[in-house]
Amino acid sequence: MANVKGSILGNAVLRREDPTLLTGEDKYFDDIEVENLGHVYFVRSTIAHAEIISIDTSEAKEIDGVLGVWTADDLELEPFLSFPMFPPHFARPPLAKGKVRLVGDIIAVVVADSFSVAADAASNIWMDFNPLASVTDPEEALQDGAPVLFAENGSNQCFETSIGLEDGNPNEGADHVTKIRMVSQRLAGVPIESNGIVAIPESNETMTIWIPSQNPISVRPVLASELGLDESKLRVAAPAVGGGFGPKSGTYVEYIITAKLALLLQRPLKWTELRSENMLSLGQGRGMTMYGEMGLDFEGKIVGLDAKVIADAGAYPAIGGFLAFFTQTMIQGVYDIPKIRFHAVSAATNTTQVLAYRGAGRPEATQLLERLIDQAADELGIDPAAIRMKNFIPKEAFPLTTLGGANYDSGDYALALNKALEEAGYDSLLQEQERRRISNETKQLGIGISTYVEVTAPTGLHIEYGAVEINHDGTVTARVGTSAHGQGHITAFSMIISDLLGINMDNITILQSDTDKVPRGQGTMGSRSLQTAGSAVHVASETVLEKAKELASHLLEANADDIVTGEGGLHVVGVPSNSLSWGELVQASNDDDKRPDGMEPGLAHELDFDGTDSTYPFGAHIAVVEVDTETGAVELIRHIAVDDCGRILNPMLVTGQQHGGIAQGAAQALFEGIFYDEEGNPITGNLMDYAIPSAAELPSFETYNTETATPRNPLGAKGIGESGTIGSTPAIQNAVIDAVSHLGVMHIDMPLTSVNIWNAICKSQSS
């Protein structure tokens, strides 16, 4: 298919989104101005587990400006089960009824004329309760005698999955078995913009809802059902969204309560989540305790893997309780492992619910594998890079189905690692490390390697809606079912359409995130958008182009194969003057006298693109750290990433995703963690205690790519949004442990804070 200007794809194109974001023209949900707006404030439990005896709202109701105060006894709402695969007894009462199960459970809601009045009223609501024992550790939650959150369930176990349990010990006959217990600690999403909702009722049966969501279109049917509204009467939309990372997908009970009260009061209402609330109510991530045993021969070839995972689901199990399934799917990683036994269970605990946070079950599989193989290399005296090369699945093996059930499409794992080693100057790093060890310097150098494969567009997320229509003035309107919140979708999708149709990107409008404009869509999560919605607009543009070429050949009396795109339309190859503009083509397509017989009016096409399966990006990361052996202080001084996301359409967008992902991976490795005390109180409930790194704490990352196309979509593209996070965390953890391994330290759990490192050094020297 000829294009006069050549392809725009593969070039670094500046983001179209940025000017309006930088000038403030784009609005966030909290910027939406509505007349007569009421403000919602949620009163939350300050204890983790208790029976509710009574809730006294009398004082709050008497405060001027208060429009109403409701508890579960006052507002009729059905318990909400956010993950339908689980039994209904795990459903969450939007307003706690009879019992609270975590600090942050909603016991009452206040609506007032102003936020300050609502907050004042909330401080005058009192709960009388009977305290119950709480449990915040998922391993303890599964033990006999542990406090049970849902009596109907009989225990705290909410999910179980396994492979290879009937096949015996996978490490039988191994010359060496490396064993490890490690924790992938719980993390908060902490987006710059917190959660919230603006609910605007137009009548008792119609409503508009604005939410800062990753998937507002797929939230609509859930909200409509909960509110008892016809879907067609409910508009759900997302304005500009200030970060998501997974926790901003799905339906929150706060949405249900706010929307229900807006309908009841027939008044627009807004809830804006406070930062302290965000640390209690926005879904969190990770929270897995993992055990692994890897069998190898004396040459370092893997014989088998035996893994066990205990996942934390939080107080009201949702998709987070299911994520161990993705860990199981990806447990083979990049390695040729002959036998695998894997068993995982998820447990309800008196904590914030766990949702899908950047990587969602896949980082944990990589963390376990990469710690095991690094420790095995240390125990066997084999170079960490060499042991990986020895065990990679060869590129000739693709496509293949792994023992975890993943249908790998394509890969060249050695290529990525070799490039990372070269760019890092690996041999020079080893020499510098040896020099420091010999001279017994206080600051020791650590070199950490991680190789990974991940799944994008997982489990049913490989299907997405897209539509392209050429307007009467020659501009294009495209619709997609994904929902951007920083990824650069408008730029990427515009590039695809412009490349095929030859229409300037400035003349292309991308509509998303609004049920009034897009009929269906699954949203943006699982690094799925380019390979699904991007492929949908690609196929739609191709279809529109073929129709336009057929129409042009009819009108220009030329062979359709001789019609090419040109400046502003189509023309006969070699004869630019013999042309039709896009506007003329649209006009002709709607004229019965000008269309060929049998051609439908208009130049538009819509479809649900089906990639048939997931794609599997991969890569290799090398982290270089300095660790002060006297204080435990650690500094990440270099991070080299080679990520393969298939065909790259815009390298600038890919690099941006790499940098953001690596920063979040480094944050887990070195800084972040949600922790609770023995009574279930969060001790990292604000940004004074929960440590998020800024750019000042991180180096400028060195990012590179290889390109191994996938056959599962016409773009050859795989996802990139989560790769940096998955690859970086174990590389940095391995680097820190490597820096102090000569002191006898074998493992340190994340976050690798100075006190944790110092304690590990002290323990190793005293044993």
mmCIF file with all atom_site columns, all heavy atoms in Angstrom, residues 187 286 357-358 367 659-671 724-730 732 750:
data_model
loop_
_atom_site.group_PDB
_atom_site.id
_atom_site.type_symbol
_atom_site.label_atom_id
_atom_site.label_alt_id
_atom_site.label_comp_id
_atom_site.label_asym_id
_atom_site.label_entity_id
_atom_site.label_seq_id
_atom_site.pdbx_PDB_ins_code
_atom_site.Cartn_x
_atom_site.Cartn_y
_atom_site.Cartn_z
_atom_site.occupancy
_atom_site.B_iso_or_equiv
_atom_site.pdbx_formal_charge
_atom_site.auth_seq_id
_atom_site.auth_comp_id
_atom_site.auth_asym_id
_atom_site.auth_atom_id
_atom_site.pdbx_PDB_model_num
ATOM 1   N N   . LEU A 1 187 ? 2.021  -2.669  48.282 1.00 0.00 ? 187 LEU A N   1
ATOM 2   C CA  . LEU A 1 187 ? 2.319  -1.320  47.812 1.00 0.00 ? 187 LEU A CA  1
ATOM 3   C C   . LEU A 1 187 ? 1.034  -0.517  47.633 1.00 0.00 ? 187 LEU A C   1
ATOM 4   O O   . LEU A 1 187 ? -0.032 -1.074  47.363 1.00 0.00 ? 187 LEU A O   1
ATOM 5   C CB  . LEU A 1 187 ? 3.048  -1.365  46.462 1.00 0.00 ? 187 LEU A CB  1
ATOM 6   C CG  . LEU A 1 187 ? 4.361  -2.144  46.391 1.00 0.00 ? 187 LEU A CG  1
ATOM 7   C CD1 . LEU A 1 187 ? 4.855  -2.188  44.948 1.00 0.00 ? 187 LEU A CD1 1
ATOM 8   C CD2 . LEU A 1 187 ? 5.410  -1.536  47.301 1.00 0.00 ? 187 LEU A CD2 1
ATOM 9   N N   . ARG A 1 286 ? 0.534  -6.032  45.040 1.00 0.00 ? 286 ARG A N   1
ATOM 10  C CA  . ARG A 1 286 ? 1.512  -7.014  45.507 1.00 0.00 ? 286 ARG A CA  1
ATOM 11  C C   . ARG A 1 286 ? 0.969  -7.756  46.744 1.00 0.00 ? 286 ARG A C   1
ATOM 12  O O   . ARG A 1 286 ? -0.097 -8.288  46.715 1.00 0.00 ? 286 ARG A O   1
ATOM 13  C CB  . ARG A 1 286 ? 2.863  -6.356  45.777 1.00 0.00 ? 286 ARG A CB  1
ATOM 14  C CG  . ARG A 1 286 ? 3.400  -5.496  44.638 1.00 0.00 ? 286 ARG A CG  1
ATOM 15  C CD  . ARG A 1 286 ? 3.873  -6.299  43.459 1.00 0.00 ? 286 ARG A CD  1
ATOM 16  N NE  . ARG A 1 286 ? 4.543  -5.426  42.515 1.00 0.00 ? 286 ARG A NE  1
ATOM 17  C CZ  . ARG A 1 286 ? 3.981  -4.914  41.425 1.00 0.00 ? 286 ARG A CZ  1
ATOM 18  N NH1 . ARG A 1 286 ? 2.734  -5.217  41.113 1.00 0.00 ? 286 ARG A NH1 1
ATOM 19  N NH2 . ARG A 1 286 ? 4.649  -4.127  40.608 1.00 0.00 ? 286 ARG A NH2 1
ATOM 20  N N   . TYR A 1 357 ? -2.160 -3.935  40.546 1.00 0.00 ? 357 TYR A N   1
ATOM 21  C CA  . TYR A 1 357 ? -1.210 -2.831  40.517 1.00 0.00 ? 357 TYR A CA  1
ATOM 22  C C   . TYR A 1 357 ? -0.119 -3.151  39.509 1.00 0.00 ? 357 TYR A C   1
ATOM 23  O O   . TYR A 1 357 ? 0.273  -4.307  39.368 1.00 0.00 ? 357 TYR A O   1
ATOM 24  C CB  . TYR A 1 357 ? -0.618 -2.639  41.918 1.00 0.00 ? 357 TYR A CB  1
ATOM 25  C CG  . TYR A 1 357 ? 0.517  -1.648  42.011 1.00 0.00 ? 357 TYR A CG  1
ATOM 26  C CD1 . TYR A 1 357 ? 0.270  -0.284  42.017 1.00 0.00 ? 357 TYR A CD1 1
ATOM 27  C CD2 . TYR A 1 357 ? 1.834  -2.076  42.094 1.00 0.00 ? 357 TYR A CD2 1
ATOM 28  C CE1 . TYR A 1 357 ? 1.309  0.630   42.115 1.00 0.00 ? 357 TYR A CE1 1
ATOM 29  C CE2 . TYR A 1 357 ? 2.873  -1.182  42.192 1.00 0.00 ? 357 TYR A CE2 1
ATOM 30  C CZ  . TYR A 1 357 ? 2.613  0.179   42.199 1.00 0.00 ? 357 TYR A CZ  1
ATOM 31  O OH  . TYR A 1 357 ? 3.649  1.070   42.289 1.00 0.00 ? 357 TYR A OH  1
ATOM 32  N N   . ARG A 1 358 ? 0.393  -2.177  38.850 1.00 0.00 ? 358 ARG A N   1
ATOM 33  C CA  . ARG A 1 358 ? 1.298  -2.276  37.698 1.00 0.00 ? 358 ARG A CA  1
ATOM 34  C C   . ARG A 1 358 ? 2.083  -3.598  37.635 1.00 0.00 ? 358 ARG A C   1
ATOM 35  O O   . ARG A 1 358 ? 3.038  -3.814  38.364 1.00 0.00 ? 358 ARG A O   1
ATOM 36  C CB  . ARG A 1 358 ? 2.274  -1.098  37.703 1.00 0.00 ? 358 ARG A CB  1
ATOM 37  C CG  . ARG A 1 358 ? 2.918  -0.822  36.352 1.00 0.00 ? 358 ARG A CG  1
ATOM 38  C CD  . ARG A 1 358 ? 3.632  0.511   36.351 1.00 0.00 ? 358 ARG A CD  1
ATOM 39  N NE  . ARG A 1 358 ? 3.987  0.926   34.990 1.00 0.00 ? 358 ARG A NE  1
ATOM 40  C CZ  . ARG A 1 358 ? 4.386  2.159   34.656 1.00 0.00 ? 358 ARG A CZ  1
ATOM 41  N NH1 . ARG A 1 358 ? 4.470  3.083   35.579 1.00 0.00 ? 358 ARG A NH1 1
ATOM 42  N NH2 . ARG A 1 358 ? 4.691  2.456   33.412 1.00 0.00 ? 358 ARG A NH2 1
ATOM 43  N N   . GLN A 1 367 ? 10.157 -11.878 40.258 1.00 0.00 ? 367 GLN A N   1
ATOM 44  C CA  . GLN A 1 367 ? 10.948 -11.658 41.476 1.00 0.00 ? 367 GLN A CA  1
ATOM 45  C C   . GLN A 1 367 ? 11.413 -12.980 42.072 1.00 0.00 ? 367 GLN A C   1
ATOM 46  O O   . GLN A 1 367 ? 12.582 -13.129 42.453 1.00 0.00 ? 367 GLN A O   1
ATOM 47  C CB  . GLN A 1 367 ? 10.119 -10.872 42.494 1.00 0.00 ? 367 GLN A CB  1
ATOM 48  C CG  . GLN A 1 367 ? 9.877  -9.423  42.106 1.00 0.00 ? 367 GLN A CG  1
ATOM 49  C CD  . GLN A 1 367 ? 8.762  -8.773  42.903 1.00 0.00 ? 367 GLN A CD  1
ATOM 50  O OE1 . GLN A 1 367 ? 8.333  -9.299  43.918 1.00 0.00 ? 367 GLN A OE1 1
ATOM 51  N NE2 . GLN A 1 367 ? 8.290  -7.622  42.446 1.00 0.00 ? 367 GLN A NE2 1
ATOM 52  N N   . HIS A 1 659 ? 10.827 4.506   31.420 1.00 0.00 ? 659 HIS A N   1
ATOM 53  C CA  . HIS A 1 659 ? 11.309 5.295   32.550 1.00 0.00 ? 659 HIS A CA  1
ATOM 54  C C   . HIS A 1 659 ? 10.312 5.263   33.711 1.00 0.00 ? 659 HIS A C   1
ATOM 55  O O   . HIS A 1 659 ? 10.703 5.104   34.873 1.00 0.00 ? 659 HIS A O   1
ATOM 56  C CB  . HIS A 1 659 ? 11.577 6.734   32.106 1.00 0.00 ? 659 HIS A CB  1
ATOM 57  C CG  . HIS A 1 659 ? 12.900 6.918   31.430 1.00 0.00 ? 659 HIS A CG  1
ATOM 58  N ND1 . HIS A 1 659 ? 13.979 7.494   32.047 1.00 0.00 ? 659 HIS A ND1 1
ATOM 59  C CD2 . HIS A 1 659 ? 13.328 6.569   30.189 1.00 0.00 ? 659 HIS A CD2 1
ATOM 60  C CE1 . HIS A 1 659 ? 15.018 7.513   31.221 1.00 0.00 ? 659 HIS A CE1 1
ATOM 61  N NE2 . HIS A 1 659 ? 14.646 6.951   30.083 1.00 0.00 ? 659 HIS A NE2 1
ATOM 62  N N   . GLY A 1 660 ? 9.025  5.444   33.402 1.00 0.00 ? 660 GLY A N   1
ATOM 63  C CA  . GLY A 1 660 ? 8.024  5.405   34.461 1.00 0.00 ? 660 GLY A CA  1
ATOM 64  C C   . GLY A 1 660 ? 7.952  4.055   35.137 1.00 0.00 ? 660 GLY A C   1
ATOM 65  O O   . GLY A 1 660 ? 7.844  3.960   36.369 1.00 0.00 ? 660 GLY A O   1
ATOM 66  N N   . GLY A 1 661 ? 8.019  2.992   34.348 1.00 0.00 ? 661 GLY A N   1
ATOM 67  C CA  . GLY A 1 661 ? 7.959  1.644   34.909 1.00 0.00 ? 661 GLY A CA  1
ATOM 68  C C   . GLY A 1 661 ? 9.161  1.323   35.772 1.00 0.00 ? 661 GLY A C   1
ATOM 69  O O   . GLY A 1 661 ? 9.025  0.734   36.853 1.00 0.00 ? 661 GLY A O   1
ATOM 70  N N   . ILE A 1 662 ? 10.352 1.706   35.312 1.00 0.00 ? 662 ILE A N   1
ATOM 71  C CA  . ILE A 1 662 ? 11.559 1.442   36.101 1.00 0.00 ? 662 ILE A CA  1
ATOM 72  C C   . ILE A 1 662 ? 11.495 2.185   37.423 1.00 0.00 ? 662 ILE A C   1
ATOM 73  O O   . ILE A 1 662 ? 11.879 1.652   38.486 1.00 0.00 ? 662 ILE A O   1
ATOM 74  C CB  . ILE A 1 662 ? 12.816 1.852   35.308 1.00 0.00 ? 662 ILE A CB  1
ATOM 75  C CG1 . ILE A 1 662 ? 12.983 0.958   34.078 1.00 0.00 ? 662 ILE A CG1 1
ATOM 76  C CG2 . ILE A 1 662 ? 14.071 1.760   36.186 1.00 0.00 ? 662 ILE A CG2 1
ATOM 77  C CD1 . ILE A 1 662 ? 13.991 1.489   33.063 1.00 0.00 ? 662 ILE A CD1 1
ATOM 78  N N   . ALA A 1 663 ? 11.000 3.424   37.397 1.00 0.00 ? 663 ALA A N   1
ATOM 79  C CA  . ALA A 1 663 ? 10.906 4.202   38.634 1.00 0.00 ? 663 ALA A CA  1
ATOM 80  C C   . ALA A 1 663 ? 10.001 3.506   39.643 1.00 0.00 ? 663 ALA A C   1
ATOM 81  O O   . ALA A 1 663 ? 10.315 3.462   40.844 1.00 0.00 ? 663 ALA A O   1
ATOM 82  C CB  . ALA A 1 663 ? 10.390 5.602   38.329 1.00 0.00 ? 663 ALA A CB  1
ATOM 83  N N   . GLN A 1 664 ? 8.889  2.941   39.190 1.00 0.00 ? 664 GLN A N   1
ATOM 84  C CA  . GLN A 1 664 ? 8.003  2.245   40.131 1.00 0.00 ? 664 GLN A CA  1
ATOM 85  C C   . GLN A 1 664 ? 8.626  0.937   40.611 1.00 0.00 ? 664 GLN A C   1
ATOM 86  O O   . GLN A 1 664 ? 8.429  0.538   41.762 1.00 0.00 ? 664 GLN A O   1
ATOM 87  C CB  . GLN A 1 664 ? 6.636  2.009   39.492 1.00 0.00 ? 664 GLN A CB  1
ATOM 88  C CG  . GLN A 1 664 ? 5.788  3.271   39.501 1.00 0.00 ? 664 GLN A CG  1
ATOM 89  C CD  . GLN A 1 664 ? 4.351  3.028   39.133 1.00 0.00 ? 664 GLN A CD  1
ATOM 90  O OE1 . GLN A 1 664 ? 4.002  3.011   37.963 1.00 0.00 ? 664 GLN A OE1 1
ATOM 91  N NE2 . GLN A 1 664 ? 3.496  2.860   40.119 1.00 0.00 ? 664 GLN A NE2 1
ATOM 92  N N   . GLY A 1 665 ? 9.361  0.269   39.752 1.00 0.00 ? 665 GLY A N   1
ATOM 93  C CA  . GLY A 1 665 ? 10.059 -0.935  40.194 1.00 0.00 ? 665 GLY A CA  1
ATOM 94  C C   . GLY A 1 665 ? 11.137 -0.621  41.214 1.00 0.00 ? 665 GLY A C   1
ATOM 95  O O   . GLY A 1 665 ? 11.302 -1.331  42.214 1.00 0.00 ? 665 GLY A O   1
ATOM 96  N N   . ALA A 1 666 ? 11.888 0.463   40.971 1.00 0.00 ? 666 ALA A N   1
ATOM 97  C CA  . ALA A 1 666 ? 12.908 0.886   41.929 1.00 0.00 ? 666 ALA A CA  1
ATOM 98  C C   . ALA A 1 666 ? 12.279 1.290   43.247 1.00 0.00 ? 666 ALA A C   1
ATOM 99  O O   . ALA A 1 666 ? 12.850 1.059   44.325 1.00 0.00 ? 666 ALA A O   1
ATOM 100 C CB  . ALA A 1 666 ? 13.712 2.045   41.339 1.00 0.00 ? 666 ALA A CB  1
ATOM 101 N N   . ALA A 1 667 ? 11.097 1.887   43.170 1.00 0.00 ? 667 ALA A N   1
ATOM 102 C CA  . ALA A 1 667 ? 10.405 2.308   44.389 1.00 0.00 ? 667 ALA A CA  1
ATOM 103 C C   . ALA A 1 667 ? 10.066 1.108   45.273 1.00 0.00 ? 667 ALA A C   1
ATOM 104 O O   . ALA A 1 667 ? 10.224 1.168   46.495 1.00 0.00 ? 667 ALA A O   1
ATOM 105 C CB  . ALA A 1 667 ? 9.144  3.076   44.029 1.00 0.00 ? 667 ALA A CB  1
ATOM 106 N N   . GLN A 1 668 ? 9.603  0.017   44.665 1.00 0.00 ? 668 GLN A N   1
ATOM 107 C CA  . GLN A 1 668 ? 9.339  -1.172  45.474 1.00 0.00 ? 668 GLN A CA  1
ATOM 108 C C   . GLN A 1 668 ? 10.632 -1.733  46.038 1.00 0.00 ? 668 GLN A C   1
ATOM 109 O O   . GLN A 1 668 ? 10.696 -2.100  47.218 1.00 0.00 ? 668 GLN A O   1
ATOM 110 C CB  . GLN A 1 668 ? 8.634  -2.266  44.675 1.00 0.00 ? 668 GLN A CB  1
ATOM 111 C CG  . GLN A 1 668 ? 8.490  -3.547  45.527 1.00 0.00 ? 668 GLN A CG  1
ATOM 112 C CD  . GLN A 1 668 ? 7.681  -4.645  44.894 1.00 0.00 ? 668 GLN A CD  1
ATOM 113 O OE1 . GLN A 1 668 ? 7.385  -4.617  43.709 1.00 0.00 ? 668 GLN A OE1 1
ATOM 114 N NE2 . GLN A 1 668 ? 7.301  -5.633  45.679 1.00 0.00 ? 668 GLN A NE2 1
ATOM 115 N N   . ALA A 1 669 ? 11.658 -1.790  45.225 1.00 0.00 ? 669 ALA A N   1
ATOM 116 C CA  . ALA A 1 669 ? 12.906 -2.404  45.676 1.00 0.00 ? 669 ALA A CA  1
ATOM 117 C C   . ALA A 1 669 ? 13.541 -1.638  46.827 1.00 0.00 ? 669 ALA A C   1
ATOM 118 O O   . ALA A 1 669 ? 14.055 -2.250  47.777 1.00 0.00 ? 669 ALA A O   1
ATOM 119 C CB  . ALA A 1 669 ? 13.884 -2.494  44.510 1.00 0.00 ? 669 ALA A CB  1
ATOM 120 N N   . LEU A 1 670 ? 13.490 -0.316  46.791 1.00 0.00 ? 670 LEU A N   1
ATOM 121 C CA  . LEU A 1 670 ? 14.297 0.478   47.714 1.00 0.00 ? 670 LEU A CA  1
ATOM 122 C C   . LEU A 1 670 ? 13.511 1.288   48.740 1.00 0.00 ? 670 LEU A C   1
ATOM 123 O O   . LEU A 1 670 ? 14.072 1.645   49.790 1.00 0.00 ? 670 LEU A O   1
ATOM 124 C CB  . LEU A 1 670 ? 15.174 1.445   46.911 1.00 0.00 ? 670 LEU A CB  1
ATOM 125 C CG  . LEU A 1 670 ? 16.169 0.822   45.934 1.00 0.00 ? 670 LEU A CG  1
ATOM 126 C CD1 . LEU A 1 670 ? 16.862 1.912   45.127 1.00 0.00 ? 670 LEU A CD1 1
ATOM 127 C CD2 . LEU A 1 670 ? 17.194 -0.030  46.681 1.00 0.00 ? 670 LEU A CD2 1
ATOM 128 N N   . PHE A 1 671 ? 12.246 1.617   48.474 1.00 0.00 ? 671 PHE A N   1
ATOM 129 C CA  . PHE A 1 671 ? 11.595 2.615   49.304 1.00 0.00 ? 671 PHE A CA  1
ATOM 130 C C   . PHE A 1 671 ? 10.236 2.212   49.880 1.00 0.00 ? 671 PHE A C   1
ATOM 131 O O   . PHE A 1 671 ? 9.987  2.379   51.071 1.00 0.00 ? 671 PHE A O   1
ATOM 132 C CB  . PHE A 1 671 ? 11.395 3.909   48.489 1.00 0.00 ? 671 PHE A CB  1
ATOM 133 C CG  . PHE A 1 671 ? 12.662 4.513   47.977 1.00 0.00 ? 671 PHE A CG  1
ATOM 134 C CD1 . PHE A 1 671 ? 13.075 4.282   46.664 1.00 0.00 ? 671 PHE A CD1 1
ATOM 135 C CD2 . PHE A 1 671 ? 13.442 5.317   48.777 1.00 0.00 ? 671 PHE A CD2 1
ATOM 136 C CE1 . PHE A 1 671 ? 14.238 4.847   46.171 1.00 0.00 ? 671 PHE A CE1 1
ATOM 137 C CE2 . PHE A 1 671 ? 14.613 5.884   48.298 1.00 0.00 ? 671 PHE A CE2 1
ATOM 138 C CZ  . PHE A 1 671 ? 15.016 5.648   46.991 1.00 0.00 ? 671 PHE A CZ  1
ATOM 139 N N   . GLY A 1 724 ? 8.924  -2.231  32.456 1.00 0.00 ? 724 GLY A N   1
ATOM 140 C CA  . GLY A 1 724 ? 9.970  -1.617  33.259 1.00 0.00 ? 724 GLY A CA  1
ATOM 141 C C   . GLY A 1 724 ? 9.870  -1.968  34.716 1.00 0.00 ? 724 GLY A C   1
ATOM 142 O O   . GLY A 1 724 ? 10.883 -2.194  35.406 1.00 0.00 ? 724 GLY A O   1
ATOM 143 N N   . THR A 1 725 ? 8.648  -2.041  35.226 1.00 0.00 ? 725 THR A N   1
ATOM 144 C CA  . THR A 1 725 ? 8.433  -2.394  36.627 1.00 0.00 ? 725 THR A CA  1
ATOM 145 C C   . THR A 1 725 ? 8.808  -3.846  36.887 1.00 0.00 ? 725 THR A C   1
ATOM 146 O O   . THR A 1 725 ? 9.437  -4.172  37.895 1.00 0.00 ? 725 THR A O   1
ATOM 147 C CB  . THR A 1 725 ? 6.961  -2.153  37.008 1.00 0.00 ? 725 THR A CB  1
ATOM 148 O OG1 . THR A 1 725 ? 6.626  -0.804  36.710 1.00 0.00 ? 725 THR A OG1 1
ATOM 149 C CG2 . THR A 1 725 ? 6.726  -2.426  38.480 1.00 0.00 ? 725 THR A CG2 1
ATOM 150 N N   . ILE A 1 726 ? 8.408  -4.719  35.975 1.00 0.00 ? 726 ILE A N   1
ATOM 151 C CA  . ILE A 1 726 ? 8.660  -6.147  36.157 1.00 0.00 ? 726 ILE A CA  1
ATOM 152 C C   . ILE A 1 726 ? 10.154 -6.454  36.093 1.00 0.00 ? 726 ILE A C   1
ATOM 153 O O   . ILE A 1 726 ? 10.680 -7.233  36.887 1.00 0.00 ? 726 ILE A O   1
ATOM 154 C CB  . ILE A 1 726 ? 7.881  -6.954  35.098 1.00 0.00 ? 726 ILE A CB  1
ATOM 155 C CG1 . ILE A 1 726 ? 6.375  -6.807  35.344 1.00 0.00 ? 726 ILE A CG1 1
ATOM 156 C CG2 . ILE A 1 726 ? 8.279  -8.433  35.111 1.00 0.00 ? 726 ILE A CG2 1
ATOM 157 C CD1 . ILE A 1 726 ? 5.508  -7.330  34.225 1.00 0.00 ? 726 ILE A CD1 1
ATOM 158 N N   . GLY A 1 727 ? 10.857 -5.811  35.171 1.00 0.00 ? 727 GLY A N   1
ATOM 159 C CA  . GLY A 1 727 ? 12.276 -6.101  35.008 1.00 0.00 ? 727 GLY A CA  1
ATOM 160 C C   . GLY A 1 727 ? 13.170 -5.448  36.036 1.00 0.00 ? 727 GLY A C   1
ATOM 161 O O   . GLY A 1 727 ? 14.212 -6.001  36.409 1.00 0.00 ? 727 GLY A O   1
ATOM 162 N N   . SER A 1 728 ? 12.786 -4.269  36.514 1.00 0.00 ? 728 SER A N   1
ATOM 163 C CA  . SER A 1 728 ? 13.708 -3.489  37.347 1.00 0.00 ? 728 SER A CA  1
ATOM 164 C C   . SER A 1 728 ? 13.795 -3.972  38.785 1.00 0.00 ? 728 SER A C   1
ATOM 165 O O   . SER A 1 728 ? 14.892 -4.006  39.374 1.00 0.00 ? 728 SER A O   1
ATOM 166 C CB  . SER A 1 728 ? 13.302 -2.016  37.329 1.00 0.00 ? 728 SER A CB  1
ATOM 167 O OG  . SER A 1 728 ? 12.014 -1.833  37.896 1.00 0.00 ? 728 SER A OG  1
ATOM 168 N N   . THR A 1 729 ? 12.668 -4.335  39.372 1.00 0.00 ? 729 THR A N   1
ATOM 169 C CA  . THR A 1 729 ? 12.658 -4.646  40.807 1.00 0.00 ? 729 THR A CA  1
ATOM 170 C C   . THR A 1 729 ? 13.631 -5.761  41.171 1.00 0.00 ? 729 THR A C   1
ATOM 171 O O   . THR A 1 729 ? 14.467 -5.585  42.070 1.00 0.00 ? 729 THR A O   1
ATOM 172 C CB  . THR A 1 729 ? 11.233 -4.993  41.267 1.00 0.00 ? 729 THR A CB  1
ATOM 173 O OG1 . THR A 1 729 ? 10.346 -3.954  40.853 1.00 0.00 ? 729 THR A OG1 1
ATOM 174 C CG2 . THR A 1 729 ? 11.170 -5.144  42.773 1.00 0.00 ? 729 THR A CG2 1
ATOM 175 N N   . PRO A 1 730 ? 13.579 -6.925  40.518 1.00 0.00 ? 730 PRO A N   1
ATOM 176 C CA  . PRO A 1 730 ? 14.531 -7.979  40.906 1.00 0.00 ? 730 PRO A CA  1
ATOM 177 C C   . PRO A 1 730 ? 15.970 -7.646  40.556 1.00 0.00 ? 730 PRO A C   1
ATOM 178 O O   . PRO A 1 730 ? 16.891 -8.102  41.240 1.00 0.00 ? 730 PRO A O   1
ATOM 179 C CB  . PRO A 1 730 ? 14.033 -9.215  40.151 1.00 0.00 ? 730 PRO A CB  1
ATOM 180 C CG  . PRO A 1 730 ? 13.181 -8.697  39.056 1.00 0.00 ? 730 PRO A CG  1
ATOM 181 C CD  . PRO A 1 730 ? 12.600 -7.414  39.538 1.00 0.00 ? 730 PRO A CD  1
ATOM 182 N N   . ILE A 1 732 ? 17.374 -4.711  40.845 1.00 0.00 ? 732 ILE A N   1
ATOM 183 C CA  . ILE A 1 732 ? 17.873 -3.860  41.930 1.00 0.00 ? 732 ILE A CA  1
ATOM 184 C C   . ILE A 1 732 ? 18.032 -4.672  43.217 1.00 0.00 ? 732 ILE A C   1
ATOM 185 O O   . ILE A 1 732 ? 19.028 -4.523  43.935 1.00 0.00 ? 732 ILE A O   1
ATOM 186 C CB  . ILE A 1 732 ? 16.930 -2.660  42.129 1.00 0.00 ? 732 ILE A CB  1
ATOM 187 C CG1 . ILE A 1 732 ? 16.939 -1.782  40.871 1.00 0.00 ? 732 ILE A CG1 1
ATOM 188 C CG2 . ILE A 1 732 ? 17.337 -1.844  43.354 1.00 0.00 ? 732 ILE A CG2 1
ATOM 189 C CD1 . ILE A 1 732 ? 15.854 -0.731  40.837 1.00 0.00 ? 732 ILE A CD1 1
ATOM 190 N N   . MET A 1 750 ? 12.537 -6.870  50.462 1.00 0.00 ? 750 MET A N   1
ATOM 191 C CA  . MET A 1 750 ? 12.250 -5.479  50.122 1.00 0.00 ? 750 MET A CA  1
ATOM 192 C C   . MET A 1 750 ? 11.272 -4.884  51.138 1.00 0.00 ? 750 MET A C   1
ATOM 193 O O   . MET A 1 750 ? 10.499 -5.622  51.747 1.00 0.00 ? 750 MET A O   1
ATOM 194 C CB  . MET A 1 750 ? 11.658 -5.403  48.717 1.00 0.00 ? 750 MET A CB  1
ATOM 195 C CG  . MET A 1 750 ? 12.559 -5.976  47.633 1.00 0.00 ? 750 MET A CG  1
ATOM 196 S SD  . MET A 1 750 ? 11.805 -5.925  45.981 1.00 0.00 ? 750 MET A SD  1
ATOM 197 C CE  . MET A 1 750 ? 10.500 -7.160  46.121 1.00 0.00 ? 750 MET A CE  1
#
